[in-house]
Amino acid sequence: EIVLTQSPGTLSLSPGERATLSCRTSQSVSSNYLAWYQQKPGQAPRLLIYGASSRATGIPDRFSGSGSGTDFTLTISRLEPEDFAVYYCQQYDNSLLTFGPGTKVDIK
Amino acid sequence: QVTLRESGPALVKPTQTLTVTCTFSGFSLTVSGMCVTWIRQPPGKALEWLARIEWDDDKFYNTSLKTRLTISKDTSKNQVVLTMTNMDPVDTATYYCARGCKAGHYWGQGTLVTVSS
């Protein structure tokens, strides 16, 4: 089973700043099968990025995904107040899915 | 418009079997490439993938929970059902269903299931 590691655990930033979140996988993952989600308290996760770099429907272009192999990155170019949340990466391999432990982006 | 809604008991006792139902609209699980997935999240913790059922009735399970899980679909009712046997307090979580095979593009709001005697 592929294990996902996310860093940092918590990212403290101010609105307007750039956020860079990392997701590492224990084995190489096809870029087609890496996704990122945003989750706010009391809400279901929302898909942001799939296929490592494709934005889901309705996702603002300040969110971007990149990476390949075992290293993937979610970048939020300029944080808006509504972007403070927990972010999860997720991979699909051999018909099974696994999630990372999450990165919390909070207000500095 | 795609919607999914989870339903099930709010409270189950240890050793009991949990049955949660996902009722969806806006798509058909008979269409090639469609899947419904179950994910859970214990309070304050990370997401955990549980199972997936595909349009052709293929089923896939979390390796660690495989012996306890069964997923099924009723295409005439647009429903997917997940059962989990031998429930334990550590299974207390919000249970979500989502549409998607390799990623969850649409999610329900989740249903909180507490396991306690």
Side-chain angles (χ1 to χ4, degrees), chain A residues 4-83:
Chain A
L4 279 64
T5 304
Q6 292 187 244
S7 60
T10 301
L11 192 56
S12 297
L13 294 169
S14 300
E17 289 192 295
R18 182 184 187 90
T20 303
L21 287 65
S22 173
C23 176
R24 282 194 169 175
T25 60
S26 60
Q27 301 173 40
S28 183
V29 172
S30 167
S31 295
N32 287 340
Y33 302 149
L34 195 288
W36 290 92
Y37 301 85
Q38 176 194 68
Q39 188 178 33
K40 298 178 183 179
Q43 296 184 16
R46 176 174 70 146
L47 180 67
L48 299 175
I49 301 288
Y50 64 95
S53 60
S54 297
R55 272 188 298 277
T57 304
I59 301 304
D61 61 7
R62 65 179 181 273
F63 291 92
S64 63
S66 62
S68 64
T70 59
D71 288 298
F72 298 88
T73 300
L74 175 70
T75 301
I76 310 171
S77 59
R78 294 181 70 252
L79 282 164
E80 297 289 340
E82 62 268 27
D83 298 337

Side-chain angles (χ1 to χ4, degrees), chain B residues 101-113:
Chain B
C101 303
K102 301 176 179 63
H105 287 259
Y106 298 91
W107 292 63
Q109 84 284 358
T111 185
L112 175 61
V113 177

Side-chain angles (χ1 to χ4, degrees), chain B residues 68-105:
Chain B
R68 300 173 54 204
L69 295 172
T70 302
I71 192 169
S72 62
K73 60 182 172 70
D74 185 333
T75 53
S76 66
K77 294 182 179 178
N78 279 352
Q79 290 182 332
V80 172
V81 175
L82 182 75
T83 63
M84 179 179 289
T85 61
N86 194 24
M87 293 292 283
D88 183 272
V90 299
D91 296 313
T92 293
T94 296
Y95 286 75
Y96 296 100
C97 62
R99 191 192 90 169
C101 303
K102 301 176 179 63
H105 287 259

Side-chain angles (χ1 to χ4, degrees), chain B residues 27-78:
Chain B
F27 67 97
S28 173
L29 204 39
T30 63
V31 172
S32 179
M34 284 295 174
C35 305
V36 169
T37 294
W38 282 97
I39 303 104
R40 71 178 178 180
Q41 185 174 38
K45 296 188 177 182
L47 301 164
E48 180 180 32
W49 176 74
L50 297 177
R52 181 177 76 253
I53 190 163
E54 304 192 346
W55 76 99
D56 58 359
D57 212 35
D58 271 350
K59 301 162 188 173
F60 301 91
Y61 296 99
N62 179 309
T63 305
S64 302
L65 297 168
K66 184 173 184 175
T67 59
R68 300 173 54 204
L69 295 172
T70 302
I71 192 169
S72 62
K73 60 182 172 70
D74 185 333
T75 53
S76 66
K77 294 182 179 178
N78 279 352

